[in-house]
Amino acid sequence: MDTDKKNLKSICLFCGSSPGVDPAFRLAAAQLGTTLAYNNIRLVYGGGHVGLMGVAADACLVAGGEVVGVIPRKLMEKEVGHAGLTQMHVVETMHERKALMTQLSDGFIALPGGYGTLDELFEALTWQQLAYHLLPVGVLNVSGFFDHLVQFLDHARDQRLLRDAHRDSLIVDNDLSSLIARMQAFVPPNNEKWLDRVSKESIV
Ligand code: AMP
């Protein structure tokens, strides 16, 4: 895996397999798909045709962009796979899926979503803080959807469970162009992960 790419040629999108309530979510997903296509950035995602995922993929394809899906066989067989992608990788496990999505991408963007989106977002951040990859991780904060999550991360930092540098490595923006520009300028943190190591004796 190339672990130090500043040139974003391929972005991995994490987002809801449901559309959500706020129409701004669908608008942002469509805008993201179109923007990537116009900038010749390949869209890599979970391969579904459902929810915000499907909206982003369709918009990218309509605008002439390249869209690559990575879907586990079980989900493909449930017929949630998108039939019109540039390329679809069918893998056996969710772990394989995330590893391949990372391998195919130069950075990650999360849009509003549920557990699946949050799991993917936090795995990307976890791998980054342990330097398994050094790729930028961004969140498009549509309609303030991620405000509470960001507050919680500040709380984790204040409780010294998250380093300042690792808290700051998550790029949060409510404007897509600005988010992409900040991801392009991203410098990975080089701190080690652990804070305030304690001996076993000091706990008991
Ligand atoms: P969620 O946010 O729980 O809706 O999960 C969406 C995320 O998990 C996406 O970024 C996908 O990679 C993955 N995912 C969850 N459900 C599906 C599905 N039905 N089809 C394809 N990918 C899915």
Side-chain angles (χ1 to χ4, degrees), residues 20 28 30 50 76 190:
V50 288
M76 193 68 182
N190 66 355

Side-chain angles (χ1 to χ4, degrees), residues 40-126:
N40 288 318
I41 300 174
R42 178 174 69 168
L43 171 61
V44 174
Y45 83 117
H49 67 73
V50 288
L52 298 178
M53 310 167 72
V55 172
D58 286 341
C60 191
L61 290 166
V62 166
E66 196 182 331
V67 184
V68 176
V70 183
I71 195 164
R73 190 174 305 282
K74 193 169 155 185
L75 288 180
M76 193 68 182
E77 284 166 2
K78 277 191 182 165
E79 297 182 357
V80 291
H82 196 300
L85 302 184
T86 316
Q87 195 180 6
M88 180 75 100
H89 297 274
V90 181
V91 295
E92 295 308 319
T93 67
M94 294 287 275
H95 290 114
E96 264 180 75
R97 172 202 237 179
K98 285 194 266 189
L100 183 55
M101 290 202 299
T102 302
Q103 204 180 318
L104 293 172
S105 305
D106 304 319
F108 307 90
I109 293 180
L111 285 180
Y115 281 151
T117 301
L118 297 173
D119 166 59
E120 292 168 332
L121 171 65
F122 282 108
E123 182 160 301
L125 284 168
T126 304

Side-chain angles (χ1 to χ4, degrees), residues 120-196:
E120 292 168 332
L121 171 65
F122 282 108
E123 182 160 301
L125 284 168
T126 304
W127 289 15
Q128 187 201 67
Q129 74 172 357
L130 295 170
Y132 280 89
H133 69 69
L134 301 174
L135 308 175
V137 182
V139 156
L140 188 61
N141 194 13
V142 186
S143 299
F145 177 79
F146 289 100
D147 285 353
H148 292 105
L149 188 73
V150 167
Q151 272 174 31
F152 177 77
L153 296 180
D154 289 342
H155 173 62
R157 180 205 50 210
D158 294 345
Q159 291 298 316
R160 295 192 60 74
L161 293 164
L162 185 56
R163 273 190 187 279
D164 286 350
H166 294 144
R167 163 65 192 86
D168 294 343
S169 73
L170 175 63
I171 305 165
V172 182
D173 212 299
N174 54 19
D175 178 78
L176 181 58
S177 305
S178 161
L179 180 68
I180 292 175
R182 289 173 62 194
M183 288 173 66
Q184 273 159 342
F186 174 72
V187 178
N190 66 355
N191 307 72
E192 72 166 12
K193 190 236 170 289
W194 303 276
L195 280 155
D196 306 331

Side-chain angles (χ1 to χ4, degrees), residues 195-203:
L195 280 155
D196 306 331
R197 292 199 185 202
V198 285
S199 66
K200 281 183 189 160
E201 292 72 34
S202 69
I203 299 170

Side-chain angles (χ1 to χ4, degrees), residues 23-36:
F25 299 162
R26 273 166 278 156
L27 200 64
Q31 195 192 9
L32 183 136
T34 309
T35 301
L36 295 191

